[in-house]
Amino acid sequence: MGRQALPIQIFYPILAVIGVPVNLLSFLILLQGKCGLSKEITRYMMAMTVGDLMVLVFNVTVSQIVRNHSPDSVLKYTPVCRASAFLQGFSLQLTSWFTVSFTFDRFVAICCGELRLRYCTERTAAVVLTAVSLINVLTNIPLPFGYEPCFTVNRVQYGCCTTVGSLASPVWAAHRWVTMLSTTFLPIPALLLLNSLTARHILVASRARRALRIGRRGDPRGDPELKGRRTSIVLLFAVSGSFIAMSAPISVIHAWVGVTETVTFKGSSSLYLAVQITFLLMCTGSCTNTCVYALTQSRFRAQMKAVVKSPFAPLIKQFSQ
C-alpha cells in the first residue's frame, strides 16, 4: 500500500472531474454537426472523444480511484476484476488507433488526389472505425485469462493475481509485446511518418500555388484554399502531436522494461515512480483533444458556449428528430 500512496495519486480525481465532463461536452458539440467539419472528420473526432472518455472511466476512475480508495467495491470479485483489465487495455489501444485512423484519413485527403474521392467518405470512416474496434477487441481478449483468483471463499472468487504461467510463458511474453506495440510503439512512428509526408506535400503545394497567384498578380494571403489547408494542418498536427507528446514517455519506459525483461519492480522505487508519472501523463492526454478543438476551431468554440448555456438542448434536438 505504501507504493500506491504516492503524491501523484491526488491528480487522478482531478483528472476525472475535469476530463469526463469535458469529453462529454465535446461529444455533444460534435454530435450536432455544426462545427463546419465534413461528416467523416466528425465521425473520427467523435470516435476519438469516445476513446478518451473510456480511458478516463476505466484507466483513471476505475483503476486508479475506485480500486485504491474503495477496496470493498465490486472490483474485489475476480470476474469484475478481469473485465476491468480487458476494458483498460482495450480503451488505451482504441484511443491510439482512432488517432492514427484520423491522421491517415487526413493524409489521404491532402496527399492522394484520386484515392481521396473513394476513401474520404462517411461510410469509409464508419468501416475503418468498426474494423479498428474489432481488431483491438481480439487483441485484448487474452488479458483476463492472465489473472486468477487470489483466494476463494464459499465458492466466491476474490481478487486478481497474475498467473504463474503468464509470467514465464513465451506466448504471454509475445502477447505483452504485441500489446505494447499496438498501444504506443506502432502508433507513434505511424503518426510521425504520416504527419511528415502530409506537411511536405502541403509545403510543396502551397509554394506552387503561392507562386502561381503572385504570377497572376494576386494576393496569396487572401487565398481561401491556402487558408483551408492551414486550418486542416493545424488541427491535424495539434491532435496527433498532443498524442505523441503524452504517450512517448511511457513508451520509452515500456521499451526499457521489455528489453531488460523486468517482470517486477524488485524494490526499484525510481522505476515505479517513473511508470506512475508516465501513465498519468498518458491519461492526461485524454483531456487535451477538447482543448485542441477549442484553440483551432472557431465554430467549435461558439458551439461550446452555446452548449454550456443550454447543456440539454443538443440531446433534446437529437432525439426529437
Side-chain angles (χ1 to χ4, degrees), residues 154-298:
N154 296 328
R155 297 184 179 180
V156 179
Q157 299 176 339
Y158 293 92
C160 278
C161 292
T162 306
T163 62
V164 176
S166 66
L167 295 176
S169 171
V171 175
W172 278 104
H175 181 264
R176 283 194 294 271
W177 271 106
V178 169
T179 301
M180 287 188 291
L181 285 171
S182 61
T183 302
T184 51
F185 292 170
L186 289 180
I188 290 177
L191 290 173
L192 290 173
L193 176 62
L194 291 171
N195 283 337
S196 61
L197 293 175
T198 303
R200 180 178 178 275
H201 179 88
I202 289 178
L203 182 61
V204 172
S206 297
R207 285 177 177 174
R209 188 174 181 87
R210 188 178 294 111
L212 181 62
R213 285 183 63 87
I214 292 176
R216 294 178 177 178
R217 297 181 180 180
D219 185 3
R221 293 174 296 181
D223 189 349
E225 179 70 19
L226 291 177
K227 184 178 180 180
R229 290 177 181 176
R230 192 180 303 113
T231 302
S232 298
I233 201 65
V234 168
L235 175 62
L236 171 64
F237 283 6
V239 170
S240 55
S242 172
F243 174 83
I244 292 172
M246 296 296 182
S247 301
I250 200 169
S251 301
V252 174
I253 297 293
H254 280 166
W256 186 85
V257 170
V259 170
T260 58
E261 298 183 350
T262 302
V263 177
T264 62
F265 295 108
K266 300 177 182 179
S268 175
S269 58
S270 59
L271 176 59
Y272 182 78
L273 182 61
V275 170
Q276 291 295 308
I277 292 175
T278 54
F279 181 76
L280 174 63
L281 186 64
M282 182 172 63
C283 292
T284 304
S286 298
C287 299
T288 58
N289 278 344
T290 301
C291 298
V292 168
Y293 305 154
L295 291 173
T296 59
Q297 303 291 314
S298 58

Side-chain angles (χ1 to χ4, degrees), residues 44-65:
Y44 283 115
M45 292 175 69
M46 289 178 65
M48 289 189 291
T49 301
V50 171
D52 289 341
L53 187 59
M54 290 178 65
V55 171
L56 290 168
V57 171
F58 298 116
N59 289 276
V60 174
T61 305
V62 174
S63 176
Q64 299 297 326
I65 300 176

Side-chain angles (χ1 to χ4, degrees), residues 126-137:
V127 171
V128 169
L129 293 172
T130 302
V132 167
S133 301
L134 291 176
I135 291 172
N136 284 314
V137 166

